[in-house]
PDB file of all heavy atoms in Angstrom:
ATOM      1  N   VAL P  30      95.074 113.495  73.053  1.00 98.00           N
ATOM      2  CA  VAL P  30      95.702 113.244  71.752  1.00 98.00           C
ATOM      3  C   VAL P  30      96.456 111.915  71.722  1.00 98.00           C
ATOM      4  O   VAL P  30      96.871 111.464  70.660  1.00 98.00           O
ATOM      5  CB  VAL P  30      96.653 114.399  71.357  1.00 98.00           C
ATOM      6  CG1 VAL P  30      95.871 115.676  71.120  1.00 98.00           C
ATOM      7  CG2 VAL P  30      97.747 114.604  72.407  1.00 98.00           C
ATOM      8  N   ALA P  31      96.666 111.295  72.908  1.00 98.00           N
ATOM      9  CA  ALA P  31      97.345 109.991  72.932  1.00 98.00           C
ATOM     10  C   ALA P  31      96.787 109.166  74.085  1.00 98.00           C
ATOM     11  O   ALA P  31      96.622 109.675  75.195  1.00 98.00           O
ATOM     12  CB  ALA P  31      98.852 110.178  73.098  1.00 98.00           C
ATOM     13  N   GLN P  32      96.488 107.912  73.793  1.00 98.00           N
ATOM     14  CA  GLN P  32      96.009 106.978  74.823  1.00 98.00           C
ATOM     15  C   GLN P  32      97.008 105.824  74.860  1.00 98.00           C
ATOM     16  O   GLN P  32      97.101 105.051  73.908  1.00 98.00           O
ATOM     17  CB  GLN P  32      94.610 106.463  74.490  1.00 98.00           C
ATOM     18  CG  GLN P  32      93.574 107.568  74.431  1.00 98.00           C
ATOM     19  CD  GLN P  32      92.158 107.023  74.287  1.00 98.00           C
ATOM     20  OE1 GLN P  32      91.816 105.976  74.836  1.00 98.00           O
ATOM     21  NE2 GLN P  32      91.325 107.744  73.557  1.00 98.00           N
ATOM     22  N   ILE P  33      97.758 105.745  75.966  1.00 98.00           N
ATOM     23  CA  ILE P  33      98.856 104.785  76.078  1.00 98.00           C
ATOM     24  C   ILE P  33      98.457 103.717  77.091  1.00 98.00           C
ATOM     25  O   ILE P  33      97.986 104.055  78.186  1.00 98.00           O
ATOM     26  CB  ILE P  33     100.137 105.497  76.602  1.00 98.00           C
ATOM     27  CG1 ILE P  33     100.496 106.708  75.737  1.00 98.00           C
ATOM     28  CG2 ILE P  33     101.298 104.526  76.732  1.00 98.00           C
ATOM     29  CD1 ILE P  33     100.942 106.387  74.343  1.00 98.00           C
ATOM     30  N   ASP P  34      98.669 102.455  76.731  1.00 97.00           N
ATOM     31  CA  ASP P  34      98.490 101.414  77.739  1.00 97.00           C
ATOM     32  C   ASP P  34      99.730 100.530  77.759  1.00 97.00           C
ATOM     33  O   ASP P  34     100.774 100.911  77.236  1.00 97.00           O
ATOM     34  CB  ASP P  34      97.177 100.647  77.551  1.00 97.00           C
ATOM     35  CG  ASP P  34      96.605 100.251  78.915  1.00 97.00           C
ATOM     36  OD1 ASP P  34      95.956 101.088  79.551  1.00 97.00           O
ATOM     37  OD2 ASP P  34      96.858  99.121  79.357  1.00 97.00           O
ATOM     38  N   VAL P  35      99.615  99.358  78.400  1.00 95.00           N
ATOM     39  CA  VAL P  35     100.808  98.688  78.906  1.00 95.00           C
ATOM     40  C   VAL P  35     101.872  98.379  77.847  1.00 95.00           C
ATOM     41  O   VAL P  35     103.053  98.550  78.111  1.00 95.00           O
ATOM     42  CB  VAL P  35     100.411  97.445  79.740  1.00 95.00           C
ATOM     43  CG1 VAL P  35      99.880  96.330  78.888  1.00 95.00           C
ATOM     44  CG2 VAL P  35     101.542  96.992  80.622  1.00 95.00           C
ATOM     45  N   ASP P  36     101.496  97.974  76.642  1.00 91.00           N
ATOM     46  CA  ASP P  36     102.528  97.602  75.663  1.00 91.00           C
ATOM     47  C   ASP P  36     102.788  98.684  74.620  1.00 91.00           C
ATOM     48  O   ASP P  36     103.477  98.440  73.634  1.00 91.00           O
ATOM     49  CB  ASP P  36     102.140  96.278  74.976  1.00 91.00           C
ATOM     50  CG  ASP P  36     102.268  95.117  75.952  1.00 91.00           C
ATOM     51  OD1 ASP P  36     103.194  95.158  76.792  1.00 91.00           O
ATOM     52  OD2 ASP P  36     101.434  94.196  75.896  1.00 91.00           O
ATOM     53  N   ASP P  37     102.241  99.869  74.820  1.00 97.00           N
ATOM     54  CA  ASP P  37     102.394 100.922  73.816  1.00 97.00           C
ATOM     55  C   ASP P  37     103.727 101.652  73.987  1.00 97.00           C
ATOM     56  O   ASP P  37     104.243 101.781  75.099  1.00 97.00           O
ATOM     57  CB  ASP P  37     101.245 101.936  73.916  1.00 97.00           C
ATOM     58  CG  ASP P  37      99.906 101.285  73.617  1.00 97.00           C
ATOM     59  OD1 ASP P  37      99.884 100.319  72.827  1.00 97.00           O
ATOM     60  OD2 ASP P  37      98.881 101.726  74.190  1.00 97.00           O
ATOM     61  N   ASP P  38     104.242 102.153  72.866  1.00 97.00           N
ATOM     62  CA  ASP P  38     105.495 102.903  72.865  1.00 97.00           C
ATOM     63  C   ASP P  38     105.218 104.335  73.337  1.00 97.00           C
ATOM     64  O   ASP P  38     104.339 105.015  72.795  1.00 97.00           O
ATOM     65  CB  ASP P  38     106.039 102.906  71.423  1.00 97.00           C
ATOM     66  CG  ASP P  38     107.447 103.492  71.346  1.00 97.00           C
ATOM     67  OD1 ASP P  38     107.899 104.075  72.353  1.00 97.00           O
ATOM     68  OD2 ASP P  38     108.064 103.359  70.275  1.00 97.00           O
ATOM     69  N   LEU P  39     105.988 104.784  74.338  1.00 98.00           N
ATOM     70  CA  LEU P  39     105.777 106.135  74.865  1.00 98.00           C
ATOM     71  C   LEU P  39     106.058 107.213  73.811  1.00 98.00           C
ATOM     72  O   LEU P  39     105.593 108.347  73.954  1.00 98.00           O
ATOM     73  CB  LEU P  39     106.658 106.367  76.101  1.00 98.00           C
ATOM     74  CG  LEU P  39     106.348 105.495  77.329  1.00 98.00           C
ATOM     75  CD1 LEU P  39     107.296 105.837  78.479  1.00 98.00           C
ATOM     76  CD2 LEU P  39     104.908 105.663  77.789  1.00 98.00           C
ATOM     77  N   ALA P  40     106.784 106.853  72.761  1.00 98.00           N
ATOM     78  CA  ALA P  40     107.078 107.831  71.701  1.00 98.00           C
ATOM     79  C   ALA P  40     105.791 108.400  71.105  1.00 98.00           C
ATOM     80  O   ALA P  40     105.782 109.522  70.582  1.00 98.00           O
ATOM     81  CB  ALA P  40     107.926 107.184  70.619  1.00 98.00           C
ATOM     82  N   ALA P  41     104.689 107.659  71.201  1.00 98.00           N
ATOM     83  CA  ALA P  41     103.396 108.151  70.677  1.00 98.00           C
ATOM     84  C   ALA P  41     102.971 109.447  71.375  1.00 98.00           C
ATOM     85  O   ALA P  41     102.218 110.244  70.813  1.00 98.00           O
ATOM     86  CB  ALA P  41     102.319 107.079  70.850  1.00 98.00           C
ATOM     87  N   ILE P  42     103.489 109.667  72.594  1.00 98.00           N
ATOM     88  CA  ILE P  42     103.130 110.882  73.343  1.00 98.00           C
ATOM     89  C   ILE P  42     103.708 112.117  72.655  1.00 98.00           C
ATOM     90  O   ILE P  42     102.996 113.103  72.413  1.00 98.00           O
ATOM     91  CB  ILE P  42     103.650 110.790  74.803  1.00 98.00           C
ATOM     92  CG1 ILE P  42     103.023 109.595  75.517  1.00 98.00           C
ATOM     93  CG2 ILE P  42     103.396 112.084  75.554  1.00 98.00           C
ATOM     94  CD1 ILE P  42     103.630 109.307  76.883  1.00 98.00           C
ATOM     95  N   THR P  43     104.988 112.046  72.318  1.00 98.00           N
ATOM     96  CA  THR P  43     105.618 113.204  71.658  1.00 98.00           C
ATOM     97  C   THR P  43     105.149 113.307  70.206  1.00 98.00           C
ATOM     98  O   THR P  43     104.933 114.411  69.696  1.00 98.00           O
ATOM     99  CB  THR P  43     107.153 113.107  71.715  1.00 98.00           C
ATOM    100  OG1 THR P  43     107.547 111.756  71.486  1.00 98.00           O
ATOM    101  CG2 THR P  43     107.688 113.556  73.054  1.00 98.00           C
ATOM    102  N   GLU P  44     104.957 112.145  69.565  1.00 98.00           N
ATOM    103  CA  GLU P  44     104.490 112.177  68.163  1.00 98.00           C
ATOM    104  C   GLU P  44     103.133 112.866  68.056  1.00 98.00           C
ATOM    105  O   GLU P  44     102.835 113.546  67.073  1.00 98.00           O
ATOM    106  CB  GLU P  44     104.393 110.740  67.605  1.00 98.00           C
ATOM    107  CG  GLU P  44     105.753 110.191  67.202  1.00 98.00           C
ATOM    108  CD  GLU P  44     105.764 108.664  67.067  1.00 98.00           C
ATOM    109  OE1 GLU P  44     104.662 108.061  67.017  1.00 98.00           O
ATOM    110  OE2 GLU P  44     106.870 108.095  67.033  1.00 98.00           O
ATOM    111  N   ALA P  45     102.303 112.721  69.106  1.00 98.00           N
ATOM    112  CA  ALA P  45     100.966 113.342  69.087  1.00 98.00           C
ATOM    113  C   ALA P  45     101.013 114.811  69.527  1.00 98.00           C
ATOM    114  O   ALA P  45      99.998 115.496  69.509  1.00 98.00           O
ATOM    115  CB  ALA P  45     100.027 112.560  70.001  1.00 98.00           C
TER     116      ALA P  45
END
Side-chain angles (χ1 to χ4, degrees):
V30 294
Q32 298 188 35
I33 306 292
D34 215 82
V35 71
D36 289 325
D37 297 330
D38 188 349
L39 295 180
I42 299 171
T43 40
E44 281 162 14

